[in-house]
Each structure stands twice: as C-alpha cells, then as structure tokens.
C-alpha cells in the first residue's frame, strides 16, 4: 500500500513564525502536491512538484513556498505565518503519467492553528 | 483554474434513504475521479470514469459520467451510517497531472 506521512497531525504557531510542514511518500511517486482544506471551499492546490527540485504554483501559492530536495520528500513552508493560514493542510502524491489518469494518495493531514 | 461545481454542499438523510451528489463542468472533461473523506480523515480514491456515458457500480454506489463528459454523479442506494463523510469529484483538466477538486458534498446519515 502507498503510504504518505506528514510530520505533524496538529500544530499551533504564532503569527510571524516560520512554519515547516513535511511530507514523505514511500512509493517512488514523481508527483507531490500540497493542498489546504477549508469548510465550504473544498481542496485548493497550493503548490505541486513533478520532479526533484521542480515546483509549480497551484491556485493559491501566496504566502507559501515549497522545497523538494529528495524524490520522497516535499516540504511546505510558511515564511511568516498569519492567522488566515489556519487550516487543514493535506499532502498527496501520484505517479507521473500521460493522460492525467493517475489517482492521488493523501497523507493524514496537518491541522495548523496560527494564533 | 478550472472550477468544478458540486451540489449539494450538505445532505442529511435518514438511514435507508438514497443520496446523490452531482458535479458539473463548463468544459469537456477527459475523465473524472471520485474521492471520499471520512470525518477526521483524508480523501481516499473511490473510482475513475473515462468514457462518455460510463456507469460503474461499487456495491450500493453508482457512478455516472455524462454523455457530453461535462457532468458526473454519485448515487448511494439505501444509505448506511458507514457512508457518512464528504464526497469529492476531481477533474484533471488543469493538466500536468494535477486535479481540480469540487467543493465536496458532506453527507450525514441519521438513524
């Protein structure tokens, strides 16, 4: 079974802090994704990566950056956390494929509260 | 980005009643995927539809892809408490192996 793990289930940070969210997958997937999930808004893509050191902006990249130094690890960085970044953060991975038919496998999520 | 409209946002049913959620797109989709997220959990892949007019069944769940490939539905027959959760459709129209998720339908089942 594909396993996607995230470094924390719950996190409390203060406004202005730098926050790192880590995601690791064990299935040698090329693609990795970071989403945030908010009530009534569904899943919104922040950033994704289809290869080591490659990254592309999703729909809501403002206030976030990412790092992918190794294939299995994709980090989301909040340079200066703000209260409007309080949310559930979900990491996902998938195989690289033509035709966009690969399913995504999600981690358990990190619920971040910024005070 | 491409937006997939999903309705309804919430649905409360009595156990044993049927349930349907719909996804609609303004553009033609190459395929559509469905995911389920249990309360406190993470989205889990259910199924993918590719062909125009395709219908697939998983026990009490029936998935349909419209003839024009612009809409899809998930129907649950005789809901059970184990069906509780949020159901998302997702489409790959954004390209690059990305998925755009619908806003989800939250299903609550009461005894």
């Amino acid at each position: 079974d594909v396993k996607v793990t995230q470094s924390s289930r719950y996190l409390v940070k203060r406004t202005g802090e730098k926050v790192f969210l880590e995601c690791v997958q064990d299935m040698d997937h090329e693609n990795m994704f970071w989403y945030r999930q908010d009530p009534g808004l569904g899943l919104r893509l922040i950033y994704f990566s289809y290869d080591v050191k490659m990254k592309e902006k999703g729909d809501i990249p403002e206030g976030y950056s990412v790092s992918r130094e190794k294939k299995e690890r994709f980090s989301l960085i909040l340079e200066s956390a703000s209260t409007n970044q309080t949310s559930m953060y979900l990491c996902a991975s998938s195989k690289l494929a033509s035709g966009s038919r690969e399913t995504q496998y999600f981690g358990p999520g990190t619920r971040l509260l910024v005070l | 980005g491409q937006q997939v409209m999903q309705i309804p946002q919430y649905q409360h049913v009595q156990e044993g009643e049927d349930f349907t959620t719909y996804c609609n797109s303004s553009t033609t989709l190459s395929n559509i995927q469905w995911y389920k997220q249990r309360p406190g959990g993470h989205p889990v892949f259910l199924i993918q539809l590719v062909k125009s007019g395709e219908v697939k069944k998983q026990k009490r769940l029936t998935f349909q892809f419209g003839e024009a490939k612009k809409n899809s539905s998930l129907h649950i027959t005789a809901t059970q408490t184990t069906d509780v959760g949020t159901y998302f459709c997702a489409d790959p129209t954004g390209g690059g192996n990305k998925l755009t998720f619908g806003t989800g339908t939250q299903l609550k089942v009461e005894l």
Side-chain angles (χ1 to χ4, degrees), chain A residues 6 8-13 19 21 34-46 60 62 64 76 78 81-91 108-115, chain B residues 37 41:
Chain A
Q6 295 183 227
S8 306
R9 290 301 305 272
Y10 301 95
L11 213 50
V12 181
K13 295 292 181 180
V19 182
L21 303 182
W34 275 107
Y35 296 89
R36 64 176 284 176
Q37 183 174 22
D38 301 288
L41 297 177
L43 296 163
R44 293 181 293 166
L45 182 64
I46 304 172
I60 52 164
E62 297 79 18
Y64 304 94
L76 180 69
L78 286 66
S82 63
T83 54
N84 62 13
Q85 292 178 309
T86 291
S87 186
M88 168 70 89
Y89 290 88
L90 289 160
C91 174
T110 296
R111 192 167 291 280
L112 172 66
L113 173 62
V114 182
L115 300 174
Chain B
Q37 182 177 23

Side-chain angles (χ1 to χ4, degrees), chain A residues 9 31 33 35 37 39-43 45 48 57 59 90 94-104 106-108, chain B residues 1 9-10 30-31 33 35 37 40-45 48 50 86 88 92 95-104:
Chain A
R9 290 301 305 272
N31 299 322
F33 308 84
Y35 296 89
Q37 183 174 22
L41 297 177
L43 296 163
L45 182 64
F48 69 103
K57 294 179 179 180
D59 298 319
L90 289 160
S94 70
K95 289 191 291 186
L96 184 68
S98 62
S100 301
R101 294 186 181 188
E102 291 300 324
T103 62
Q104 293 188 9
F106 284 83
Chain B
Q9 189 173 357
Y10 302 100
S30 60
N31 66 78
Q33 300 180 14
Y35 291 75
Q37 182 177 23
H42 57 276
V44 175
F45 173 77
Q48 180 172 250
V50 178
T86 301
F88 294 96
N97 285 199
K98 293 186 298 180
L99 291 174
T100 299
F101 284 82
T103 48

Side-chain angles (χ1 to χ4, degrees), chain A residues 4-72:
Chain A
V4 181
T5 57
Q6 295 183 227
S7 50
S8 306
R9 290 301 305 272
Y10 301 95
L11 213 50
V12 181
K13 295 292 181 180
R14 296 202 176 276
T15 301
E17 280 193 79
K18 191 168 186 176
V19 182
F20 292 87
L21 303 182
E22 302 281 334
C23 175
V24 178
Q25 50 93 5
D26 67 356
M27 282 301 291
D28 202 35
H29 283 172
E30 290 82 7
N31 299 322
M32 296 189 75
F33 308 84
W34 275 107
Y35 296 89
R36 64 176 284 176
Q37 183 174 22
D38 301 288
L41 297 177
L43 296 163
R44 293 181 293 166
L45 182 64
I46 304 172
Y47 267 98
F48 69 103
S49 168
Y50 53 87
D51 200 355
V52 175
K53 296 194 184 294
M54 304 299 290
K55 61 183 179 184
E56 292 210 16
K57 294 179 179 180
D59 298 319
I60 52 164
E62 297 79 18
Y64 304 94
S65 63
V66 290
S67 172
R68 191 153 181 215
E69 297 297 319
K70 293 184 178 181
K71 189 176 185 180
E72 67 271 19

